[in-house]
Amino acid sequence: MITKTSVLLSWEFPDNYNSPTPYKIQYNGLTLDVDGRTTKKLITHLRPHTFYNFVLTNRGSSLGGLQQTVTAWTAFNLLSSKPSVAPKPDPEGFIVVYLPDGQSPVPVQYATRPPPARCVPGQAPELCAHL
């Protein structure tokens, strides 16, 4: 699982493996200690749209021991804040939505539904008054 600020790493051990020896996960100059019996770790506080190289190694010895490498890109940060909406439709009837971070405004067409009809029980629908 990858989001814009996190990556979930998971791994499996051989059936005959039963060691409490801690492991470490190294990525982009950082090191995390991991319990030797766990099989997953959620890495958080990452930057959006960034390449990460994760290396899981046996803490006791990186030579000849377990070493697994995984690379991942975190997701894009699509919007940094809420879009804003123009107070009135433009001359062509479009509502204009302004996106954050200087992105181009987006014209949005909309359709309105007629208000629900108010009918007297038993009255023909075509004779109902609209609210």
Side-chain angles (χ1 to χ4, degrees):
M1 176 188 77
I2 298 174
T3 70
K4 65 183 181 178
T5 60
S6 66
V7 172
L8 177 62
L9 300 174
S10 61
W11 54 92
E12 295 178 3
F13 294 114
D15 290 338
N16 61 353
Y17 181 84
N18 188 17
S19 173
T21 304
Y23 286 84
K24 62 183 175 179
I25 296 174
Q26 295 175 303
Y27 65 98
N28 294 36
L30 299 173
T31 301
L32 291 175
D33 292 324
V34 180
D35 182 284
R37 293 173 293 252
T38 191
T39 58
K40 61 185 169 182
K41 178 69 176 172
L42 180 63
I43 311 296
T44 58
H45 306 293
L46 302 176
R47 295 179 61 138
H49 195 237
T50 303
F51 177 80
Y52 288 93
N53 187 43
F54 300 96
V55 180
L56 174 69
T57 58
N58 180 313
R59 189 161 176 186
S61 169
S62 60
L63 288 175
L66 171 73
Q67 182 166 328
Q68 184 66 44
T69 302
V70 175
T71 58
W73 279 94
T74 49
F76 285 97
N77 188 10
L78 296 178
L79 295 177
S80 60
S81 62
K82 289 183 178 181
S84 60
V85 179
K88 295 183 196 178
D90 71 7
E92 296 171 3
F94 287 93
I95 292 177
V96 179
V97 177
Y98 295 96
L99 301 175
D101 302 328
Q103 298 177 32
S104 301
V106 178
V108 178
Q109 274 189 315
Y110 67 99
T112 59
R113 293 175 60 185
R118 186 182 326 164
C119 293
V120 176
Q123 183 179 18
E126 60 274 4
L127 299 176
C128 295
H130 288 283
L131 299 176

